[in-house]
């Protein structure tokens, strides 16, 4: 099976990764590029040409002939939520670049994340600059919540938190809302991040000079205010953010296949994005967000996991599948657990794994407080 070569691509809004494996699952090469392959951001033609460029360079790196197609190629790309769009990408690649691959599968980056950990299904919950979530069931059915972007959604993301923080300061200074916490630390964080003298300076950054990534990056400094300065308002903002992430899972809970709930560790949730590095700040709100109207958790047992490898590997699995081959994959080595919750264990008075910095996801940074409240969001 070593003569079978499969490729996988992780295509994001700011970077893209490619991996080639043989039929035994052995990784032949992997590479990363600092450009987007999202058709929404760069256009369909540029998206397709960049995908071709990445795979062809990977072929050359492995000593493969450039005009010999891969056996199968999986593309897990940001923005590929609709069947029609995915078919357009496949058709364009086949017509323009017939030497790329014999067959191709195109899915969203959310699907690739789940398959990398468990091809049978699960949930991915993304909390980075933006937010999104997807449920993939063992029968192939899917359901989603979020992913509508910063104008219409992004609840529970870094941008959402940053927007709420700025609004809190504006409302406080306008005397629009009753003050619940002192705003001094949060105000200093915002003024210093945006390099402005007063609240009116934020208008340029919100409108004429708006940069979503830069705006959202203030969340990293709010995490410092919460963990290093123990600021109640910064902590509250992260708690509210965690609540929104929990509501994503609540929204999907009614569609979850029983097999996903009954596996070891309960429901497996793949957590993607920089915000999860501040899990200890998100945790209380997240658990609250999982509660139904009756006060019970929508999922009695769940395990939160972070990827240890690129979702391009899951994309390669899908590329092999569309070619009629089951790619051997050690899914247990592709992710690590950072939190496990069991309602039954809690009722029995047993210890529920709290995850935290030792999980491999929340790594304590140099100079972090000894309290271990939370690791900081990395930019």
């Amino acid at each position: 099976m070593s003569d079978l070569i499969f490729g996988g691509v992780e295509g994001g809004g700011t970077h893209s990764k490619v991996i080639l494996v043989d039929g035994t699952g052995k990784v032949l090469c992997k590479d990363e590029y600092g450009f987007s392959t999202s058709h929404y951001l760069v256009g369909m033609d540029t998206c397709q040409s960049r995908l071709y460029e990445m795979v062809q360079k990977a072929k050359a790196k492995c000593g493969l002939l450039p005009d010999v197609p891969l056996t199968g190629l999986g593309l897990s790309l940001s923005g590929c939520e609709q069947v029609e769009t995915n078919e357009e990408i496949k058709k364009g690649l086949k017509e323009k670049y017939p030497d790329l691959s014999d067959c191709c599968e195109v899915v969203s980056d959310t699907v690739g994340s789940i398959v990398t950990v468990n091809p049978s299904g699960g949930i991915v919950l993304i909390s980075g600059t933006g937010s999104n979530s997807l449920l993939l069931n063992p029968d192939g059915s899917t359901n989603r919540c979020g992913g509508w972007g910063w104008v219409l959604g992004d609840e529970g993301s870094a941008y959402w938190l940053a927007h709420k923080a700025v609004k809190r300061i504006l409302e406080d200074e306008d005397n629009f809302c009753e003050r619940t916490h002192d705003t001094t630390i949060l105000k200093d964080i915002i003024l210093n991040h945006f390099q402005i003298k007063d609240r009116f300076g934020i208008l340029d950054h919100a409108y004429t000079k708006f940069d979503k990534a830069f705006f959202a990056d203030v969340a990293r400094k709010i995490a410092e205010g919460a963990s290093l300065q123990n600021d109640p308002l910064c902590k509250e903002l992260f708690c509210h953010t965690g609540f929104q992430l929990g509501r994503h899972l609540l929204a999907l809970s009614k569609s979850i296949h029983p097999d996903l709930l009954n596996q070891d560790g309960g429901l497996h949730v793949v957590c993607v994005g920089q915000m999860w590095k501040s899990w200890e700040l998100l945790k209380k709100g997240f658990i609250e967000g999982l509660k139904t109207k009756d006060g019970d958790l929508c999922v009695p047992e769940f395990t939160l996991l972070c990827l240890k490898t690129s979702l391009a590997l899951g994309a390669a699995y899908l590329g092999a599948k569309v070619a009629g081959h089951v790619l051997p994959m050690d899914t247990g080595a592709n992710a690590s657990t950072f939190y496990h919750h069991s309602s039954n264990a809690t009722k029995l008075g047993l210890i529920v794994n709290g995850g935290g910095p030792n999980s491999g996801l929340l790594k304590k940074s140099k100079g972090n407080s000894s309290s271990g409240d939370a690791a900081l969001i990395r930019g």
Side-chain angles (χ1 to χ4, degrees):
M1 293 190 293
S2 60
D3 58 331
L4 303 177
I5 307 296
F6 303 103
V9 172
E10 170 187 344
T14 57
H15 72 280
S16 302
K17 299 179 181 179
V18 61
I19 190 170
L20 295 187
V21 300
D22 66 18
T24 67
K26 178 183 177 182
V27 175
L28 303 177
C29 71
K30 50 187 175 180
D31 217 339
E32 182 172 356
Y33 294 85
F35 54 62
S36 171
T37 44
S38 168
H39 67 91
Y40 280 124
L41 297 178
V42 301
M44 191 63 74
D45 289 340
T46 300
C47 167
Q48 293 170 352
S49 65
R50 287 180 176 179
L51 292 170
Y52 179 70
E53 174 191 348
M54 291 171 64
V55 174
Q56 291 301 95
K57 285 184 176 180
K59 286 182 184 178
K61 193 173 182 179
C62 295
L64 302 174
L65 296 174
D67 58 345
V68 177
L70 298 178
T71 311
L73 175 64
L75 305 174
S76 184
L77 311 176
S78 174
C80 286
E81 309 286 350
Q82 297 177 293
V83 174
E84 295 80 7
T85 300
N86 299 352
E87 289 299 320
E88 183 180 352
I89 292 175
K90 285 195 288 186
K91 181 180 178 181
L93 290 174
K94 191 67 176 177
E95 292 176 351
K96 297 176 186 176
Y97 313 110
D99 57 344
L100 180 64
S101 179
D102 288 335
C103 54
C104 180
E105 177 73 325
V106 181
V107 297
S108 72
D109 51 351
T110 50
V111 173
S113 298
I114 296 172
V115 174
T116 302
V117 175
N118 184 0
S120 297
I123 283 180
V124 61
L125 187 48
I126 298 173
S127 179
T129 303
S131 64
N132 197 2
S133 64
L134 178 80
L135 163 67
L136 174 63
N137 281 315
D139 60 6
S141 62
T142 62
N143 204 349
R144 57 172 287 176
C145 175
W148 301 111
W150 61 273
V151 173
L152 300 176
D154 273 352
E155 294 88 351
S157 68
Y159 175 79
W160 186 89
L161 186 151
H163 180 265
K164 293 297 180 185
V166 170
K167 281 283 291 177
R168 181 66 68 91
I169 297 303
L170 296 179
E171 291 170 353
D172 180 70
E173 300 217 345
D174 286 349
N175 199 30
F176 188 75
C177 294
E178 183 178 352
R179 176 180 285 197
T180 57
H181 297 292
D182 183 80
T183 60
T184 303
I185 290 177
L186 181 63
K187 181 179 178 180
D188 286 345
I189 289 172
I190 290 172
L191 293 181
N192 289 329
H193 176 77
F194 292 103
Q195 291 293 291
I196 55 179
K197 295 180 180 180
D198 55 38
R199 56 181 168 161
F200 298 104
I202 199 66
L203 293 174
D204 275 344
H205 293 282
Y207 299 104
T208 57
K209 298 179 182 178
F210 178 70
D211 181 333
K212 180 185 175 184
F214 177 71
F215 200 102
D217 190 50
V218 75
R220 175 173 55 87
K221 297 174 184 178
I222 296 172
E224 294 174 357
S227 59
L228 299 183
Q229 297 177 273
N230 201 34
D231 180 63
L233 182 51
C234 291
K235 285 187 170 183
E236 181 183 89
L237 287 166
F238 265 90
C239 186
H240 289 171
T241 303
F243 180 85
Q244 296 297 325
L245 293 172
R247 301 311 276 186
H248 281 73
L249 192 53
L250 176 65
L252 296 173
S253 63
K254 294 181 180 180
S255 304
I256 299 173
H257 194 283
D259 288 354
L260 296 181
L261 298 173
N262 297 326
Q263 61 188 328
D264 289 342
L267 177 69
H268 291 180
V269 182
V270 184
C271 301
V272 177
Q274 297 294 315
M275 288 293 284
W276 293 106
K277 292 183 177 179
S278 288
W279 165 244
E280 290 300 321
L281 296 174
L282 299 168
K283 181 166 65 175
K284 181 179 178 181
F286 183 81
I287 299 299
E288 282 297 312
L290 297 179
K291 291 183 179 179
T292 65
K293 292 181 180 179
D294 297 328
D296 297 323
L297 295 189
C298 62
V299 179
E301 183 179 11
F302 62 90
T303 298
L304 303 184
L305 307 135
C306 63
L307 289 175
K308 294 167 63 178
T309 187
S310 166
L311 61 89
L313 186 59
Y317 180 93
L318 294 174
K321 183 178 180 180
V322 76
H325 181 75
V326 178
L327 189 68
M329 189 166 59
D330 182 8
T331 55
N334 295 339
S336 61
T337 297
F338 68 91
Y339 184 76
H340 172 253
H341 181 93
S342 172
S343 297
N344 291 332
T346 303
K347 291 176 182 178
L348 292 172
L350 303 177
I351 295 175
V352 178
N353 180 11
N358 295 328
S359 68
L361 176 67
L362 302 173
K363 296 181 179 178
K364 191 179 295 184
S365 65
K366 293 181 180 179
N368 198 358
S369 64
S370 59
S371 66
D373 252 354
L376 309 181
I377 301 175
R378 302 293 186 265

